[in-house]
Amino acid sequence: AVVLNRPTVCVGTTATFTATPTGTGPFTYQWQYLPNNGTIWETLPTATTTHANGITSGAGTATLSMTPSNTVWNSGQLRVVVTNSIANCSVTSGATRLQVQAMPTIATQPVNKNVCAGGAETFSVTAAGTGPFTYQWQLSTNGGTTWANVIPSSAGAAYSGNTTATMTLTNIQIGANNYRYRAVVAGSGAGCTVTSNTATLTVANAPTISSQPVAKNVCAGGSTTFSVDAAGTGSFTYEWQLSTNGGTT
């Protein structure tokens, strides 16, 4: 008897099938493949070979390696013919399958955000493919050189939703300026993962008023001016506001 395993892999990663025969050796091996809806078993080349749907190697050994480039092999079957090289007696294993899962994709990437120190912001990602999906946001504090999984107490802010599609940052600190964020998304089954693009957080201190406007007295029909001086980092824009009811609105 020959026992075979049934691996599950992601597209682009390598699966191995191992034949475990019982009895007395030495043994020789020949792996075979049956396409979906096929009727004739194909003998796989013993040398490393690039096929239309991936790469195989070790087809003449006890361990076959397959690296799928798509999910076509997911629908085929595999078996191995094991031969006692002395007595020339052969046995054919039962069939097994390679289970191939497509990689998830990022349908909507996170985008850069600008925020004032002490404020709040969110980063979001949308995944496509075979779900349900799991999420893990990551943080780089050194311009993307190294990354660490975000936890609620990570540097720069208070974090929530760090394992969901949308992560929220509150009480953002000025030290979080130029921090980078990305999401690692895993699909179901084999847990195939994809990493999103990087989004940068720009944090600025809120401006301060260095010179406040002062009350003015003017005759009806006359004119006057109000002015203000702002201090802080960056260029400023101004919007004057009016209340006609003593400041209520």
Side-chain angles (χ1 to χ4, degrees), residues 36 118 199:
N36 184 39

Side-chain angles (χ1 to χ4, degrees), residues 139 149-160 162:
L139 161 68
N149 289 343
V150 174
I151 60 175
S153 59
S154 290
Y159 298 88
S160 61
N162 49 294

Side-chain angles (χ1 to χ4, degrees), residues 26-182:
F27 301 111
T28 62
Y29 303 86
Q30 179 58 65
W31 290 85
Q32 299 177 334
Y33 175 72
L34 180 67
N36 184 39
N37 297 321
T39 58
I40 299 175
W41 286 88
E42 302 172 1
T43 297
L44 294 175
T46 56
T48 298
T49 304
T50 300
H51 307 266
N53 302 306
I55 300 171
T56 61
S57 63
T61 70
T63 300
L64 170 70
S65 296
M66 302 182 74
T67 305
S69 58
N70 52 46
T71 60
V72 171
W73 279 344
N74 194 52
S75 57
Q77 299 182 64
L78 290 156
R79 71 182 184 185
V80 63
V81 179
V82 181
T83 302
N84 181 299
S85 58
I86 296 177
N88 200 33
C89 302
S90 298
V91 63
T92 300
S93 72
T96 187
R97 292 181 182 273
L98 173 63
Q99 300 176 91
V100 185
Q101 180 179 320
M103 301 292 287
T105 59
I106 303 296
T108 305
Q109 299 282 355
V111 297
N112 298 337
K113 296 295 180 73
N114 301 301
V115 65
C116 292
E121 199 43 276
T122 61
F123 289 98
S124 296
V125 67
T126 303
T130 303
F133 303 106
T134 60
Y135 303 85
Q136 176 61 63
W137 286 91
Q138 296 184 327
L139 161 68
S140 175
T141 61
N142 56 11
T145 301
T146 59
W147 293 87
N149 289 343
V150 174
I151 60 175
S153 59
S154 290
Y159 298 88
S160 61
N162 49 294
T163 57
T164 69
T166 298
M167 179 176 66
T168 300
L169 290 68
T170 56
N171 192 27
I172 298 172
Q173 304 300 301
I174 188 64
N177 182 51
N178 209 36
Y179 278 11
R180 277 131 165 107
Y181 298 89
R182 69 185 185 186

